[in-house]
Amino acid sequence: MAKRTASSARVVALTEADEDGFREQSYLKTVKPRTSNQEALMAAIDAHALTLAVGPAGTGKTYLAVTKAVEAMSAGRVTRIVITRPVVEAGESLGFLPGDINEKMDPWMRPIYDALSDRLGARQVRQMTKDGTVEIAPLAYMRGRTISRSFVIVDEAQNMTFQQIKMLLTRLGWHSTMVITGDPDQTDLLPGMSGLEEAVRRLDPLDDVAIVRMTTQDIVRHPLVAAMMPLLS
């Protein structure tokens, strides 16, 4: 193998630095809704302490929740972003995962990490996770807490029972915003166990709670996804 000279190593280092710098500068500074329901979701999050967004995959529920969390953090309205998701395997067993709690949760949190990286840059997300500004909170660790001055994202809520959702709802503290997202048609729980629709039904009469229902018309992934969803439902 040819020996790399000092000058060539320097070029490689500069290239890698430039690429890393490009990745950090390429994050999205603004996000605009593409559909009327997405616009309604963003407005609901601004106006309510609790918003439930339900609908098919690919409609931007989680991404828009992350966007609003970053906006709230940047504006100083909250001091941290708390993210929780049920650890439910989608038909496959992953077995034992090594590492600390963040590393163990990484496979389940990857979609949210990707959305955060789009908004903040991967380097800043790593730092915020390290210092606790972004907190990954497994569902089992949420009991007994009161979460104040935070933006709480509860993702994949269709994989939670009604009692689990009820427990999370009662964690909401002062000056906090909570957004719960999920697709009732894609639960990985046994039939009748998902509590998302029940929570939506019970909370719907409250004026201070926003319920936003997304449809296949709001899917912003590959056009084929929107075409397939009605056939697969």
Side-chain angles (χ1 to χ4, degrees), residues 77 85 212:
R77 297 193 297 272
R85 221 174 185 234
V212 181

Side-chain angles (χ1 to χ4, degrees), residues 6 9 21 33 35 44 58-59 65 69 80 90 111-112 118 134 137 160 184-185 199 202 204 208 211 213 217:
T35 70
T59 53
R80 60 181 169 165
I112 295 181
D118 274 355
V134 170
M160 299 179 187
D185 291 331
R202 294 196 186 196
D204 192 43
D208 294 335
I211 310 293
R213 291 189 178 274
Q217 302 301 313

